[in-house]
Amino acid sequence: MRTILLVPFLLAAGCAKEKPATKPNVIDREGGITDATQVPSDTDSKKFADHLVRHPLKGFHPTDADGPKVLWVETTFNAKNEWVATTKVQVDAEDVDCRESGTWSMDKAESNQVAVVAMRTLASTCAGRANNVVYHLKLSWNTDEKGEYDVQVH
């Protein structure tokens, strides 16, 4: 008799209800930020960072100092808080291709389209460019501009 009572109990225990699927959020889509991306935890900051990882910064001059003109042709940001810039340095009338890279972090976003991003240069193959330089850029993007940024040195 004990065996008969035990069987229905085991069957009921084995049929536990499944948990409903959770809604996907911005960090679940392929190619954007991940749980490991270090950004402020508010929604606007996460959305801004996700946009930053998906859309490179193009055509930015990181310095206006005297000497060779430096152009970051395309700067990509990844979910591991690293960035890489395809760079051109103009010496006299000649363009020299090189590369700069480093890490990025950001302050809490002002909105999902505006935030200050700090970029630390850790490596450069560009002649005359120093490592360990930090740029603080206020980046803003407009949905009408296909992800392009307005940049202010902050």
Side-chain angles (χ1 to χ4, degrees):
M1 184 75 173
R2 289 183 190 178
T3 306
I4 295 172
L5 291 175
L6 187 59
V7 171
F9 176 74
L10 290 174
L11 288 174
C15 297
K17 291 183 181 178
E18 289 185 28
K19 291 183 181 179
T22 58
K23 285 185 171 181
N25 61 30
V26 72
I27 62 173
D28 291 332
R29 295 188 328 247
E30 186 176 323
I33 64 172
T34 67
D35 289 333
T37 308
Q38 296 177 8
V39 296
S41 61
D42 63 289
T43 302
D44 283 344
S45 294
K46 286 183 177 185
K47 285 183 179 180
F48 181 89
D50 191 69
H51 183 274
L52 186 67
V53 168
R54 293 173 189 279
H55 298 89
L57 171 64
K58 295 181 180 180
F60 177 67
H61 294 276
T63 181
D64 58 0
D66 291 336
K69 298 291 181 200
V70 178
L71 172 66
W72 286 349
V73 177
E74 183 172 275
T75 307
T76 56
F77 299 83
N78 72 25
K80 294 180 181 179
N81 293 84
E82 300 167 331
W83 62 270
V84 175
T86 304
T87 308
K88 286 191 181 291
V89 177
Q90 188 177 49
V91 180
D92 297 322
E94 186 177 333
D95 285 341
V96 178
D97 294 332
C98 52
R99 176 183 149 131
E100 295 189 323
S101 61
T103 58
W104 67 272
S105 62
M106 63 179 276
D107 296 343
K108 182 179 177 189
E110 293 177 21
S111 72
N112 67 1
Q113 294 177 286
V114 179
V116 174
V117 176
M119 300 172 64
R120 180 177 300 275
T121 303
L122 298 178
S124 178
T125 63
C126 305
R129 297 279 291 160
N131 292 336
N132 210 20
V133 176
V134 179
Y135 301 95
H136 294 272
L137 307 177
K138 184 174 184 177
L139 301 176
S140 57
W141 60 274
N142 188 321
T143 55
D144 295 341
E145 297 177 17
K146 297 181 183 177
E148 294 180 0
Y149 299 92
D150 289 324
V151 183
Q152 295 176 338
V153 177
H154 195 66

mmCIF file with all atom_site columns, all heavy atoms in Angstrom, residues 10-11 16-17 20 30-31 36 48 51 56 64 68-69 72 76-77 79 86-88 94 113 124 140 153-154:
data_model
loop_
_atom_site.group_PDB
_atom_site.id
_atom_site.type_symbol
_atom_site.label_atom_id
_atom_site.label_alt_id
_atom_site.label_comp_id
_atom_site.label_asym_id
_atom_site.label_entity_id
_atom_site.label_seq_id
_atom_site.pdbx_PDB_ins_code
_atom_site.Cartn_x
_atom_site.Cartn_y
_atom_site.Cartn_z
_atom_site.occupancy
_atom_site.B_iso_or_equiv
_atom_site.pdbx_formal_charge
_atom_site.auth_seq_id
_atom_site.auth_comp_id
_atom_site.auth_asym_id
_atom_site.auth_atom_id
_atom_site.pdbx_PDB_model_num
ATOM 1   N N   . LEU A 1 10  ? 5.499  11.152 -6.289  1.00 0.00 ? 10  LEU A N   1
ATOM 2   C CA  . LEU A 1 10  ? 6.674  11.334 -7.140  1.00 0.00 ? 10  LEU A CA  1
ATOM 3   C C   . LEU A 1 10  ? 6.297  11.923 -8.496  1.00 0.00 ? 10  LEU A C   1
ATOM 4   O O   . LEU A 1 10  ? 7.019  12.758 -9.042  1.00 0.00 ? 10  LEU A O   1
ATOM 5   C CB  . LEU A 1 10  ? 7.411  10.005 -7.320  1.00 0.00 ? 10  LEU A CB  1
ATOM 6   C CG  . LEU A 1 10  ? 8.122  9.466  -6.079  1.00 0.00 ? 10  LEU A CG  1
ATOM 7   C CD1 . LEU A 1 10  ? 8.695  8.075  -6.357  1.00 0.00 ? 10  LEU A CD1 1
ATOM 8   C CD2 . LEU A 1 10  ? 9.221  10.417 -5.642  1.00 0.00 ? 10  LEU A CD2 1
ATOM 9   N N   . LEU A 1 11  ? 5.170  11.502 -9.056  1.00 0.00 ? 11  LEU A N   1
ATOM 10  C CA  . LEU A 1 11  ? 4.721  12.055 -10.329 1.00 0.00 ? 11  LEU A CA  1
ATOM 11  C C   . LEU A 1 11  ? 4.397  13.542 -10.199 1.00 0.00 ? 11  LEU A C   1
ATOM 12  O O   . LEU A 1 11  ? 4.732  14.347 -11.065 1.00 0.00 ? 11  LEU A O   1
ATOM 13  C CB  . LEU A 1 11  ? 3.503  11.292 -10.849 1.00 0.00 ? 11  LEU A CB  1
ATOM 14  C CG  . LEU A 1 11  ? 3.774  9.889  -11.371 1.00 0.00 ? 11  LEU A CG  1
ATOM 15  C CD1 . LEU A 1 11  ? 2.456  9.198  -11.723 1.00 0.00 ? 11  LEU A CD1 1
ATOM 16  C CD2 . LEU A 1 11  ? 4.690  9.937  -12.581 1.00 0.00 ? 11  LEU A CD2 1
ATOM 17  N N   . ALA A 1 16  ? 6.912  19.894 -12.034 1.00 0.00 ? 16  ALA A N   1
ATOM 18  C CA  . ALA A 1 16  ? 6.958  21.268 -11.518 1.00 0.00 ? 16  ALA A CA  1
ATOM 19  C C   . ALA A 1 16  ? 6.652  22.247 -12.644 1.00 0.00 ? 16  ALA A C   1
ATOM 20  O O   . ALA A 1 16  ? 6.987  22.016 -13.800 1.00 0.00 ? 16  ALA A O   1
ATOM 21  C CB  . ALA A 1 16  ? 8.331  21.558 -10.928 1.00 0.00 ? 16  ALA A CB  1
ATOM 22  N N   . LYS A 1 17  ? 6.025  23.354 -12.275 1.00 0.00 ? 17  LYS A N   1
ATOM 23  C CA  . LYS A 1 17  ? 5.673  24.368 -13.274 1.00 0.00 ? 17  LYS A CA  1
ATOM 24  C C   . LYS A 1 17  ? 6.939  25.061 -13.774 1.00 0.00 ? 17  LYS A C   1
ATOM 25  O O   . LYS A 1 17  ? 7.864  25.338 -13.017 1.00 0.00 ? 17  LYS A O   1
ATOM 26  C CB  . LYS A 1 17  ? 4.739  25.399 -12.661 1.00 0.00 ? 17  LYS A CB  1
ATOM 27  C CG  . LYS A 1 17  ? 3.372  24.854 -12.349 1.00 0.00 ? 17  LYS A CG  1
ATOM 28  C CD  . LYS A 1 17  ? 2.476  25.945 -11.817 1.00 0.00 ? 17  LYS A CD  1
ATOM 29  C CE  . LYS A 1 17  ? 1.110  25.404 -11.483 1.00 0.00 ? 17  LYS A CE  1
ATOM 30  N NZ  . LYS A 1 17  ? 0.251  26.443 -10.928 1.00 0.00 ? 17  LYS A NZ  1
ATOM 31  N N   . PRO A 1 20  ? 7.976  31.435 -16.192 1.00 0.00 ? 20  PRO A N   1
ATOM 32  C CA  . PRO A 1 20  ? 7.766  32.166 -17.439 1.00 0.00 ? 20  PRO A CA  1
ATOM 33  C C   . PRO A 1 20  ? 9.077  32.806 -17.891 1.00 0.00 ? 20  PRO A C   1
ATOM 34  O O   . PRO A 1 20  ? 9.912  33.188 -17.076 1.00 0.00 ? 20  PRO A O   1
ATOM 35  C CB  . PRO A 1 20  ? 6.726  33.227 -17.073 1.00 0.00 ? 20  PRO A CB  1
ATOM 36  C CG  . PRO A 1 20  ? 6.773  33.345 -15.584 1.00 0.00 ? 20  PRO A CG  1
ATOM 37  C CD  . PRO A 1 20  ? 7.260  32.017 -15.070 1.00 0.00 ? 20  PRO A CD  1
ATOM 38  N N   . GLU A 1 30  ? 22.478 40.317 -29.434 1.00 0.00 ? 30  GLU A N   1
ATOM 39  C CA  . GLU A 1 30  ? 23.811 40.010 -29.913 1.00 0.00 ? 30  GLU A CA  1
ATOM 40  C C   . GLU A 1 30  ? 24.522 41.258 -30.442 1.00 0.00 ? 30  GLU A C   1
ATOM 41  O O   . GLU A 1 30  ? 23.939 42.053 -31.156 1.00 0.00 ? 30  GLU A O   1
ATOM 42  C CB  . GLU A 1 30  ? 23.712 38.973 -31.031 1.00 0.00 ? 30  GLU A CB  1
ATOM 43  C CG  . GLU A 1 30  ? 25.057 38.479 -31.503 1.00 0.00 ? 30  GLU A CG  1
ATOM 44  C CD  . GLU A 1 30  ? 24.915 37.389 -32.540 1.00 0.00 ? 30  GLU A CD  1
ATOM 45  O OE1 . GLU A 1 30  ? 23.999 36.570 -32.411 1.00 0.00 ? 30  GLU A OE1 1
ATOM 46  O OE2 . GLU A 1 30  ? 25.731 37.379 -33.464 1.00 0.00 ? 30  GLU A OE2 1
ATOM 47  N N   . GLY A 1 31  ? 25.789 41.415 -30.064 1.00 0.00 ? 31  GLY A N   1
ATOM 48  C CA  . GLY A 1 31  ? 26.597 42.498 -30.599 1.00 0.00 ? 31  GLY A CA  1
ATOM 49  C C   . GLY A 1 31  ? 26.660 43.741 -29.740 1.00 0.00 ? 31  GLY A C   1
ATOM 50  O O   . GLY A 1 31  ? 27.421 44.646 -30.030 1.00 0.00 ? 31  GLY A O   1
ATOM 51  N N   . ALA A 1 36  ? 29.056 41.822 -18.427 1.00 0.00 ? 36  ALA A N   1
ATOM 52  C CA  . ALA A 1 36  ? 30.424 42.135 -18.000 1.00 0.00 ? 36  ALA A CA  1
ATOM 53  C C   . ALA A 1 36  ? 30.838 43.569 -18.342 1.00 0.00 ? 36  ALA A C   1
ATOM 54  O O   . ALA A 1 36  ? 31.844 44.055 -17.843 1.00 0.00 ? 36  ALA A O   1
ATOM 55  C CB  . ALA A 1 36  ? 31.404 41.156 -18.648 1.00 0.00 ? 36  ALA A CB  1
ATOM 56  N N   . PHE A 1 48  ? 22.829 53.926 -23.739 1.00 0.00 ? 48  PHE A N   1
ATOM 57  C CA  . PHE A 1 48  ? 23.879 54.703 -24.405 1.00 0.00 ? 48  PHE A CA  1
ATOM 58  C C   . PHE A 1 48  ? 25.084 53.815 -24.701 1.00 0.00 ? 48  PHE A C   1
ATOM 59  O O   . PHE A 1 48  ? 25.622 53.829 -25.805 1.00 0.00 ? 48  PHE A O   1
ATOM 60  C CB  . PHE A 1 48  ? 24.314 55.904 -23.559 1.00 0.00 ? 48  PHE A CB  1
ATOM 61  C CG  . PHE A 1 48  ? 25.377 56.711 -24.239 1.00 0.00 ? 48  PHE A CG  1
ATOM 62  C CD1 . PHE A 1 48  ? 25.043 57.744 -25.093 1.00 0.00 ? 48  PHE A CD1 1
ATOM 63  C CD2 . PHE A 1 48  ? 26.719 56.407 -24.060 1.00 0.00 ? 48  PHE A CD2 1
ATOM 64  C CE1 . PHE A 1 48  ? 26.017 58.458 -25.761 1.00 0.00 ? 48  PHE A CE1 1
ATOM 65  C CE2 . PHE A 1 48  ? 27.701 57.116 -24.708 1.00 0.00 ? 48  PHE A CE2 1
ATOM 66  C CZ  . PHE A 1 48  ? 27.354 58.149 -25.569 1.00 0.00 ? 48  PHE A CZ  1
ATOM 67  N N   . HIS A 1 51  ? 24.515 51.511 -27.579 1.00 0.00 ? 51  HIS A N   1
ATOM 68  C CA  . HIS A 1 51  ? 24.648 52.238 -28.853 1.00 0.00 ? 51  HIS A CA  1
ATOM 69  C C   . HIS A 1 51  ? 26.122 52.465 -29.177 1.00 0.00 ? 51  HIS A C   1
ATOM 70  O O   . HIS A 1 51  ? 26.551 52.294 -30.323 1.00 0.00 ? 51  HIS A O   1
ATOM 71  C CB  . HIS A 1 51  ? 23.906 53.576 -28.790 1.00 0.00 ? 51  HIS A CB  1
ATOM 72  C CG  . HIS A 1 51  ? 23.947 54.321 -30.077 1.00 0.00 ? 51  HIS A CG  1
ATOM 73  N ND1 . HIS A 1 51  ? 24.986 55.155 -30.421 1.00 0.00 ? 51  HIS A ND1 1
ATOM 74  C CD2 . HIS A 1 51  ? 23.086 54.344 -31.116 1.00 0.00 ? 51  HIS A CD2 1
ATOM 75  C CE1 . HIS A 1 51  ? 24.758 55.659 -31.624 1.00 0.00 ? 51  HIS A CE1 1
ATOM 76  N NE2 . HIS A 1 51  ? 23.618 55.186 -32.060 1.00 0.00 ? 51  HIS A NE2 1
ATOM 77  N N   . PRO A 1 56  ? 30.468 52.842 -34.315 1.00 0.00 ? 56  PRO A N   1
ATOM 78  C CA  . PRO A 1 56  ? 31.785 53.454 -34.122 1.00 0.00 ? 56  PRO A CA  1
ATOM 79  C C   . PRO A 1 56  ? 31.736 54.980 -34.224 1.00 0.00 ? 56  PRO A C   1
ATOM 80  O O   . PRO A 1 56  ? 30.834 55.555 -34.836 1.00 0.00 ? 56  PRO A O   1
ATOM 81  C CB  . PRO A 1 56  ? 32.627 52.863 -35.252 1.00 0.00 ? 56  PRO A CB  1
ATOM 82  C CG  . PRO A 1 56  ? 31.683 52.286 -36.223 1.00 0.00 ? 56  PRO A CG  1
ATOM 83  C CD  . PRO A 1 56  ? 30.386 52.054 -35.527 1.00 0.00 ? 56  PRO A CD  1
ATOM 84  N N   . ASP A 1 64  ? 44.030 69.043 -30.944 1.00 0.00 ? 64  ASP A N   1
ATOM 85  C CA  . ASP A 1 64  ? 44.215 70.161 -31.871 1.00 0.00 ? 64  ASP A CA  1
ATOM 86  C C   . ASP A 1 64  ? 45.544 70.862 -31.571 1.00 0.00 ? 64  ASP A C   1
ATOM 87  O O   . ASP A 1 64  ? 45.750 72.017 -31.917 1.00 0.00 ? 64  ASP A O   1
ATOM 88  C CB  . ASP A 1 64  ? 43.044 71.137 -31.810 1.00 0.00 ? 64  ASP A CB  1
ATOM 89  C CG  . ASP A 1 64  ? 42.823 71.716 -30.420 1.00 0.00 ? 64  ASP A CG  1
ATOM 90  O OD1 . ASP A 1 64  ? 43.568 71.363 -29.492 1.00 0.00 ? 64  ASP A OD1 1
ATOM 91  O OD2 . ASP A 1 64  ? 41.889 72.527 -30.262 1.00 0.00 ? 64  ASP A OD2 1
ATOM 92  N N   . PRO A 1 68  ? 51.897 67.413 -35.895 1.00 0.00 ? 68  PRO A N   1
ATOM 93  C CA  . PRO A 1 68  ? 51.176 66.557 -36.851 1.00 0.00 ? 68  PRO A CA  1
ATOM 94  C C   . PRO A 1 68  ? 49.676 66.494 -36.523 1.00 0.00 ? 68  PRO A C   1
ATOM 95  O O   . PRO A 1 68  ? 49.282 66.463 -35.362 1.00 0.00 ? 68  PRO A O   1
ATOM 96  C CB  . PRO A 1 68  ? 51.827 65.191 -36.669 1.00 0.00 ? 68  PRO A CB  1
ATOM 97  C CG  . PRO A 1 68  ? 53.142 65.459 -36.038 1.00 0.00 ? 68  PRO A CG  1
ATOM 98  C CD  . PRO A 1 68  ? 52.971 66.697 -35.215 1.00 0.00 ? 68  PRO A CD  1
ATOM 99  N N   . LYS A 1 69  ? 48.862 66.494 -37.549 1.00 0.00 ? 69  LYS A N   1
ATOM 100 C CA  . LYS A 1 69  ? 47.410 66.368 -37.375 1.00 0.00 ? 69  LYS A CA  1
ATOM 101 C C   . LYS A 1 69  ? 47.056 64.891 -37.207 1.00 0.00 ? 69  LYS A C   1
ATOM 102 O O   . LYS A 1 69  ? 47.483 64.051 -37.991 1.00 0.00 ? 69  LYS A O   1
ATOM 103 C CB  . LYS A 1 69  ? 46.667 66.929 -38.585 1.00 0.00 ? 69  LYS A CB  1
ATOM 104 C CG  . LYS A 1 69  ? 46.914 68.414 -38.809 1.00 0.00 ? 69  LYS A CG  1
ATOM 105 C CD  . LYS A 1 69  ? 46.260 69.214 -37.717 1.00 0.00 ? 69  LYS A CD  1
ATOM 106 C CE  . LYS A 1 69  ? 46.486 70.697 -37.973 1.00 0.00 ? 69  LYS A CE  1
ATOM 107 N NZ  . LYS A 1 69  ? 46.305 71.508 -36.803 1.00 0.00 ? 69  LYS A NZ  1
ATOM 108 N N   . TRP A 1 72  ? 41.362 60.095 -35.881 1.00 0.00 ? 72  TRP A N   1
ATOM 109 C CA  . TRP A 1 72  ? 40.855 58.755 -35.637 1.00 0.00 ? 72  TRP A CA  1
ATOM 110 C C   . TRP A 1 72  ? 39.808 58.522 -36.715 1.00 0.00 ? 72  TRP A C   1
ATOM 111 O O   . TRP A 1 72  ? 38.685 59.015 -36.626 1.00 0.00 ? 72  TRP A O   1
ATOM 112 C CB  . TRP A 1 72  ? 40.242 58.639 -34.249 1.00 0.00 ? 72  TRP A CB  1
ATOM 113 C CG  . TRP A 1 72  ? 41.240 58.611 -33.122 1.00 0.00 ? 72  TRP A CG  1
ATOM 114 C CD1 . TRP A 1 72  ? 42.593 58.463 -33.213 1.00 0.00 ? 72  TRP A CD1 1
ATOM 115 C CD2 . TRP A 1 72  ? 40.946 58.742 -31.736 1.00 0.00 ? 72  TRP A CD2 1
ATOM 116 N NE1 . TRP A 1 72  ? 43.160 58.486 -31.972 1.00 0.00 ? 72  TRP A NE1 1
ATOM 117 C CE2 . TRP A 1 72  ? 42.170 58.662 -31.041 1.00 0.00 ? 72  TRP A CE2 1
ATOM 118 C CE3 . TRP A 1 72  ? 39.785 58.921 -31.011 1.00 0.00 ? 72  TRP A CE3 1
ATOM 119 C CZ2 . TRP A 1 72  ? 42.252 58.746 -29.652 1.00 0.00 ? 72  TRP A CZ2 1
ATOM 120 C CZ3 . TRP A 1 72  ? 39.865 59.009 -29.639 1.00 0.00 ? 72  TRP A CZ3 1
ATOM 121 C CH2 . TRP A 1 72  ? 41.084 58.916 -28.968 1.00 0.00 ? 72  TRP A CH2 1
ATOM 122 N N   . THR A 1 76  ? 36.240 52.038 -32.693 1.00 0.00 ? 76  THR A N   1
ATOM 123 C CA  . THR A 1 76  ? 35.238 51.069 -32.264 1.00 0.00 ? 76  THR A CA  1
ATOM 124 C C   . THR A 1 76  ? 35.396 50.795 -30.768 1.00 0.00 ? 76  THR A C   1
ATOM 125 O O   . THR A 1 76  ? 36.506 50.780 -30.232 1.00 0.00 ? 76  THR A O   1
ATOM 126 C CB  . THR A 1 76  ? 35.366 49.739 -33.040 1.00 0.00 ? 76  THR A CB  1
ATOM 127 O OG1 . THR A 1 76  ? 36.691 49.231 -32.889 1.00 0.00 ? 76  THR A OG1 1
ATOM 128 C CG2 . THR A 1 76  ? 35.057 49.941 -34.512 1.00 0.00 ? 76  THR A CG2 1
ATOM 129 N N   . PHE A 1 77  ? 34.267 50.600 -30.119 1.00 0.00 ? 77  PHE A N   1
ATOM 130 C CA  . PHE A 1 77  ? 34.205 50.325 -28.689 1.00 0.00 ? 77  PHE A CA  1
ATOM 131 C C   . PHE A 1 77  ? 33.657 48.916 -28.533 1.00 0.00 ? 77  PHE A C   1
ATOM 132 O O   . PHE A 1 77  ? 32.718 48.540 -29.232 1.00 0.00 ? 77  PHE A O   1
ATOM 133 C CB  . PHE A 1 77  ? 33.276 51.319 -28.000 1.00 0.00 ? 77  PHE A CB  1
ATOM 134 C CG  . PHE A 1 77  ? 33.715 52.751 -28.142 1.00 0.00 ? 77  PHE A CG  1
ATOM 135 C CD1 . PHE A 1 77  ? 33.399 53.470 -29.282 1.00 0.00 ? 77  PHE A CD1 1
ATOM 136 C CD2 . PHE A 1 77  ? 34.446 53.366 -27.152 1.00 0.00 ? 77  PHE A CD2 1
ATOM 137 C CE1 . PHE A 1 77  ? 33.794 54.786 -29.430 1.00 0.00 ? 77  PHE A CE1 1
ATOM 138 C CE2 . PHE A 1 77  ? 34.852 54.675 -27.289 1.00 0.00 ? 77  PHE A CE2 1
ATOM 139 C CZ  . PHE A 1 77  ? 34.531 55.395 -28.429 1.00 0.00 ? 77  PHE A CZ  1
ATOM 140 N N   . ALA A 1 79  ? 32.427 45.497 -25.847 1.00 0.00 ? 79  ALA A N   1
ATOM 141 C CA  . ALA A 1 79  ? 31.716 45.218 -24.602 1.00 0.00 ? 79  ALA A CA  1
ATOM 142 C C   . ALA A 1 79  ? 32.644 44.931 -23.435 1.00 0.00 ? 79  ALA A C   1
ATOM 143 O O   . ALA A 1 79  ? 32.197 44.856 -22.297 1.00 0.00 ? 79  ALA A O   1
ATOM 144 C CB  . ALA A 1 79  ? 30.751 44.055 -24.811 1.00 0.00 ? 79  ALA A CB  1
ATOM 145 N N   . THR A 1 86  ? 41.435 53.229 -35.804 1.00 0.00 ? 86  THR A N   1
ATOM 146 C CA  . THR A 1 86  ? 42.212 53.256 -37.033 1.00 0.00 ? 86  THR A CA  1
ATOM 147 C C   . THR A 1 86  ? 42.583 54.726 -37.209 1.00 0.00 ? 86  THR A C   1
ATOM 148 O O   . THR A 1 86  ? 41.697 55.587 -37.256 1.00 0.00 ? 86  THR A O   1
ATOM 149 C CB  . THR A 1 86  ? 41.369 52.775 -38.227 1.00 0.00 ? 86  THR A CB  1
ATOM 150 O OG1 . THR A 1 86  ? 40.866 51.481 -37.918 1.00 0.00 ? 86  THR A OG1 1
ATOM 151 C CG2 . THR A 1 86  ? 42.179 52.743 -39.499 1.00 0.00 ? 86  THR A CG2 1
ATOM 152 N N   . THR A 1 87  ? 43.880 55.008 -37.293 1.00 0.00 ? 87  THR A N   1
ATOM 153 C CA  . THR A 1 87  ? 44.354 56.387 -37.178 1.00 0.00 ? 87  THR A CA  1
ATOM 154 C C   . THR A 1 87  ? 45.194 56.794 -38.375 1.00 0.00 ? 87  THR A C   1
ATOM 155 O O   . THR A 1 87  ? 45.891 55.970 -38.967 1.00 0.00 ? 87  THR A O   1
ATOM 156 C CB  . THR A 1 87  ? 45.188 56.526 -35.882 1.00 0.00 ? 87  THR A CB  1
ATOM 157 O OG1 . THR A 1 87  ? 44.423 56.009 -34.783 1.00 0.00 ? 87  THR A OG1 1
ATOM 158 C CG2 . THR A 1 87  ? 45.570 57.956 -35.600 1.00 0.00 ? 87  THR A CG2 1
ATOM 159 N N   . LYS A 1 88  ? 45.118 58.082 -38.702 1.00 0.00 ? 88  LYS A N   1
ATOM 160 C CA  . LYS A 1 88  ? 45.996 58.674 -39.709 1.00 0.00 ? 88  LYS A CA  1
ATOM 161 C C   . LYS A 1 88  ? 46.676 59.868 -39.062 1.00 0.00 ? 88  LYS A C   1
ATOM 162 O O   . LYS A 1 88  ? 46.034 60.683 -38.396 1.00 0.00 ? 88  LYS A O   1
ATOM 163 C CB  . LYS A 1 88  ? 45.214 59.158 -40.924 1.00 0.00 ? 88  LYS A CB  1
ATOM 164 C CG  . LYS A 1 88  ? 44.728 58.047 -41.824 1.00 0.00 ? 88  LYS A CG  1
ATOM 165 C CD  . LYS A 1 88  ? 44.197 58.614 -43.135 1.00 0.00 ? 88  LYS A CD  1
ATOM 166 C CE  . LYS A 1 88  ? 43.679 57.526 -44.039 1.00 0.00 ? 88  LYS A CE  1
ATOM 167 N NZ  . LYS A 1 88  ? 44.703 56.662 -44.569 1.00 0.00 ? 88  LYS A NZ  1
ATOM 168 N N   . GLU A 1 94  ? 52.015 64.229 -46.016 1.00 0.00 ? 94  GLU A N   1
ATOM 169 C CA  . GLU A 1 94  ? 51.872 62.778 -46.147 1.00 0.00 ? 94  GLU A CA  1
ATOM 170 C C   . GLU A 1 94  ? 51.060 62.201 -44.982 1.00 0.00 ? 94  GLU A C   1
ATOM 171 O O   . GLU A 1 94  ? 51.263 62.552 -43.830 1.00 0.00 ? 94  GLU A O   1
ATOM 172 C CB  . GLU A 1 94  ? 53.268 62.138 -46.158 1.00 0.00 ? 94  GLU A CB  1
ATOM 173 C CG  . GLU A 1 94  ? 53.255 60.657 -46.427 1.00 0.00 ? 94  GLU A CG  1
ATOM 174 C CD  . GLU A 1 94  ? 54.667 60.092 -46.490 1.00 0.00 ? 94  GLU A CD  1
ATOM 175 O OE1 . GLU A 1 94  ? 55.603 60.829 -46.827 1.00 0.00 ? 94  GLU A OE1 1
ATOM 176 O OE2 . GLU A 1 94  ? 54.816 58.898 -46.184 1.00 0.00 ? 94  GLU A OE2 1
ATOM 177 N N   . GLN A 1 113 ? 20.954 59.221 -25.076 1.00 0.00 ? 113 GLN A N   1
ATOM 178 C CA  . GLN A 1 113 ? 21.676 59.695 -26.251 1.00 0.00 ? 113 GLN A CA  1
ATOM 179 C C   . GLN A 1 113 ? 22.866 60.593 -25.925 1.00 0.00 ? 113 GLN A C   1
ATOM 180 O O   . GLN A 1 113 ? 23.571 61.012 -26.838 1.00 0.00 ? 113 GLN A O   1
ATOM 181 C CB  . GLN A 1 113 ? 20.719 60.460 -27.177 1.00 0.00 ? 113 GLN A CB  1
ATOM 182 C CG  . GLN A 1 113 ? 19.654 59.556 -27.779 1.00 0.00 ? 113 GLN A CG  1
ATOM 183 C CD  . GLN A 1 113 ? 18.685 60.344 -28.621 1.00 0.00 ? 113 GLN A CD  1
ATOM 184 O OE1 . GLN A 1 113 ? 17.846 61.059 -28.116 1.00 0.00 ? 113 GLN A OE1 1
ATOM 185 N NE2 . GLN A 1 113 ? 18.825 60.191 -29.927 1.00 0.00 ? 113 GLN A NE2 1
ATOM 186 N N   . SER A 1 124 ? 49.889 52.798 -28.816 1.00 0.00 ? 124 SER A N   1
ATOM 187 C CA  . SER A 1 124 ? 49.834 53.549 -30.062 1.00 0.00 ? 124 SER A CA  1
ATOM 188 C C   . SER A 1 124 ? 51.002 53.145 -30.942 1.00 0.00 ? 124 SER A C   1
ATOM 189 O O   . SER A 1 124 ? 52.132 53.031 -30.470 1.00 0.00 ? 124 SER A O   1
ATOM 190 C CB  . SER A 1 124 ? 49.899 55.059 -29.788 1.00 0.00 ? 124 SER A CB  1
ATOM 191 O OG  . SER A 1 124 ? 49.889 55.780 -30.999 1.00 0.00 ? 124 SER A OG  1
ATOM 192 N N   . SER A 1 140 ? 27.151 62.760 -28.080 1.00 0.00 ? 140 SER A N   1
ATOM 193 C CA  . SER A 1 140 ? 25.698 62.739 -28.229 1.00 0.00 ? 140 SER A CA  1
ATOM 194 C C   . SER A 1 140 ? 25.377 62.269 -29.632 1.00 0.00 ? 140 SER A C   1
ATOM 195 O O   . SER A 1 140 ? 26.097 62.567 -30.578 1.00 0.00 ? 140 SER A O   1
ATOM 196 C CB  . SER A 1 140 ? 25.092 64.122 -27.959 1.00 0.00 ? 140 SER A CB  1
ATOM 197 O OG  . SER A 1 140 ? 25.642 65.095 -28.815 1.00 0.00 ? 140 SER A OG  1
ATOM 198 N N   . VAL A 1 153 ? 34.936 68.029 -26.428 1.00 0.00 ? 153 VAL A N   1
ATOM 199 C CA  . VAL A 1 153 ? 35.970 67.659 -25.469 1.00 0.00 ? 153 VAL A CA  1
ATOM 200 C C   . VAL A 1 153 ? 35.507 68.207 -24.127 1.00 0.00 ? 153 VAL A C   1
ATOM 201 O O   . VAL A 1 153 ? 35.126 69.364 -24.003 1.00 0.00 ? 153 VAL A O   1
ATOM 202 C CB  . VAL A 1 153 ? 37.343 68.227 -25.876 1.00 0.00 ? 153 VAL A CB  1
ATOM 203 C CG1 . VAL A 1 153 ? 38.389 67.885 -24.823 1.00 0.00 ? 153 VAL A CG1 1
ATOM 204 C CG2 . VAL A 1 153 ? 37.747 67.680 -27.233 1.00 0.00 ? 153 VAL A CG2 1
ATOM 205 N N   . HIS A 1 154 ? 35.495 67.358 -23.138 1.00 0.00 ? 154 HIS A N   1
ATOM 206 C CA  . HIS A 1 154 ? 34.900 67.714 -21.844 1.00 0.00 ? 154 HIS A CA  1
ATOM 207 C C   . HIS A 1 154 ? 35.970 67.807 -20.779 1.00 0.00 ? 154 HIS A C   1
ATOM 208 O O   . HIS A 1 154 ? 36.857 67.064 -20.667 1.00 0.00 ? 154 HIS A O   1
ATOM 209 C CB  . HIS A 1 154 ? 33.857 66.639 -21.496 1.00 0.00 ? 154 HIS A CB  1
ATOM 210 C CG  . HIS A 1 154 ? 32.937 67.023 -20.412 1.00 0.00 ? 154 HIS A CG  1
ATOM 211 N ND1 . HIS A 1 154 ? 32.035 68.044 -20.557 1.00 0.00 ? 154 HIS A ND1 1
ATOM 212 C CD2 . HIS A 1 154 ? 32.757 66.528 -19.175 1.00 0.00 ? 154 HIS A CD2 1
ATOM 213 C CE1 . HIS A 1 154 ? 31.327 68.153 -19.433 1.00 0.00 ? 154 HIS A CE1 1
ATOM 214 N NE2 . HIS A 1 154 ? 31.752 67.239 -18.592 1.00 0.00 ? 154 HIS A NE2 1
#
